[in-house]
Amino acid sequence: MNTRFVVRGTLLALVLVLAATAVAITSINNARFPPLGPTPPRPVIDAPRGELPAAPVGLSEYTQYANDEYNRVGCGFIISLTTDQLVGVTTAHSVSFNASASLQRIALGVAGRSGFVAEFDRFHGLPGIARSGEDMSVDYVLLQAASANPIDPALTLRPDPRGLPQPGERVTLYSGLNSTQIFSGTVQSASPQAVWVVMDGLIDPAGLSGSPFISQYTGQVVGMVIATTQRGDRILLGAHPIGSLVRLATAATEFPLISTYRKRLVSGNR
């Protein structure tokens, strides 16, 4: 047997498999995340102008399982609906709904400050699921604020009534990890499933999921960070549009206690 021929053939086959795998991975990535084309021009925005928040409205998220201490797991924020009802907002991928130690509470607080802005023991509608594809709108957790525990109005956000920012619009990200840290970017694309923002320069996106994007024009929240990808020397952040979050909040009919909830493991069930 020509062992040299067999070895060469095996190596060639391995190279072809690796090349095919690389092509498949590239195709998957390109399918899930938008290509970075030219930055859209500044749009004409038919909405009232507003000021950006002066307070640190991007909050740190903490979870408590069983009788353990709170641990920081991500970011979130609080929205005020047109009914003046307050709803906490964070991501589904930051919590475990079926852990052996049951989830008891979720809290939001200003990074670097003692205490919490709000503690939640009840969901506001059934939670979503962790995003695995290009649809950012499946990933969410809404939290019911207790009226007995007032929340500082300066730390709440009004949803932008447009439901979506416009391509080319300038937005600001309020980090929930650092109360003094904000980042700017430009909306690359916007749909009911996802808003994509090209950030100004390189940033470290680790841990920013759940932080709010604020329109620099209206001063109102337009989305929640869910995912990130890099295109060359540019960072793109994918966000759950605020219009979707508001629809979910206003349509909610179930408000289960966090401590008794178990994720309904049914295909397609959010």
Side-chain angles (χ1 to χ4, degrees), residues 80-91:
S80 177
L81 302 179
T82 54
T83 58
D84 290 330
Q85 182 178 18
L86 300 180
V87 177
V89 183
T90 187
T91 63

Side-chain angles (χ1 to χ4, degrees), residues 129 264-270:
I129 58 175
R264 299 173 185 180
L265 300 178
V266 179
S267 177
N269 189 333
R270 296 182 187 176

Side-chain angles (χ1 to χ4, degrees), residues 141-246:
V141 168
L142 302 179
L143 303 161
Q144 189 175 72
S147 57
N149 299 308
I151 296 173
D152 183 353
L155 299 176
T156 67
L157 290 166
R158 282 285 186 182
D160 194 307
R162 294 175 296 159
L164 286 169
Q166 297 170 225
E169 184 172 349
R170 295 285 291 165
V171 293
T172 296
L173 172 67
Y174 281 70
S175 169
L177 300 178
N178 186 326
S179 60
T180 63
Q181 198 171 54
I182 62 174
F183 304 101
S184 292
T186 302
V187 176
Q188 181 75 12
S189 62
S191 75
Q193 290 73 43
V195 173
W196 284 97
V197 178
V198 182
M199 304 306 294
D200 296 349
L202 286 174
I203 67 170
D204 181 3
L208 288 176
S209 286
S211 297
F213 269 120
I214 314 293
S215 167
Q216 293 183 9
Y217 188 94
T218 67
Q220 297 173 321
V221 59
V222 292
M224 172 176 65
V225 176
I226 297 293
T228 181
T229 188
Q230 187 166 352
R231 290 289 186 270
D233 61 349
R234 307 301 296 276
I235 295 290
L236 277 80
L237 297 182
H240 186 148
I242 193 62
S244 169
L245 291 166
V246 170

Side-chain angles (χ1 to χ4, degrees), residues 31-46:
R32 289 186 176 179
F33 301 113
L36 182 54
T39 302
R42 294 284 183 94
V44 175
I45 299 175
D46 185 18

